[in-house]
Amino acid sequence: MNRTTRLTALAVTALAVPAIASPAVAAPKPLVDLRGADVGTYALDAAGTAHLSGSVTGDPFDGAYVATLAADDGSLPAPGSCEPATGTLDVTSPKRTLSLDAVGEVCGEYADATYVVTHRFVGRYVVADATQRKLRGTDGWVSLILATEGRANVEAFDS
């Protein structure tokens, strides 16, 4: 190829590449992206339901939470086994509320001196109620974690 042909081919290629490449599109910001702000607590009631409480930070707002975790058979599973369960997560701040209802699976974990998680629930949630109308009916995944010494944590993400 002579020099003019090579330069023309290079120029055509350089102009074609941006036309072929599509512009990067940012994903929309999640409506729900909550994580425990600190270590929460939990207690079991006589029916075998774990009642969690603490505080969360993130979107749509920071606030205090209360949550429940209940295995379908009324007792949390032994380490190494899993079973169907339901959970709730209610977040409140002075002017806003958010309520999630979830179904999923709770698994018993082998806790030791370095791994303190005793039970882990992972499920799909639906926003049952919220002061912000756009949140109602949205869904995602939620995690409720129980640990030794009555410690707990929560996480929820709009996926």
Side-chain angles (χ1 to χ4, degrees), residues 1-9:
M1 253 197 266
N2 66 28
R3 180 181 171 143
T4 304
T5 306
R6 277 191 249 149
L7 287 175
T8 303

Side-chain angles (χ1 to χ4, degrees), residues 57-82:
T57 185
D59 292 319
F61 58 90
D62 301 345
Y65 76 82
V66 292
T68 61
L69 170 57
D72 285 1
D73 72 358
S75 64
L76 295 172
S81 62
C82 300

Side-chain angles (χ1 to χ4, degrees), residues 53-150:
S53 61
S55 60
V56 291
T57 185
D59 292 319
F61 58 90
D62 301 345
Y65 76 82
V66 292
T68 61
L69 170 57
D72 285 1
D73 72 358
S75 64
L76 295 172
S81 62
C82 300
E83 61 187 71
T86 58
T88 64
L89 175 62
D90 297 317
V91 182
T92 58
S93 74
K95 295 184 180 183
R96 297 190 246 176
T97 62
L98 175 68
S99 296
L100 312 177
D101 291 336
V103 295
E105 187 173 68
V106 62
C107 296
E109 303 281 337
Y110 290 97
D112 60 29
T114 58
Y115 186 74
V116 297
V117 174
T118 59
H119 294 89
R120 180 181 308 271
F121 170 82
V122 176
R124 297 288 305 169
Y125 75 78
V126 172
V127 176
D129 194 21
T131 50
Q132 292 177 293
R133 184 174 300 148
K134 70 179 181 178
L135 296 172
R136 295 179 195 150
T138 62
D139 62 353
W141 68 265
V142 64
S143 172
L144 305 174
I145 297 172
L146 308 181
T148 59
E149 299 175 5

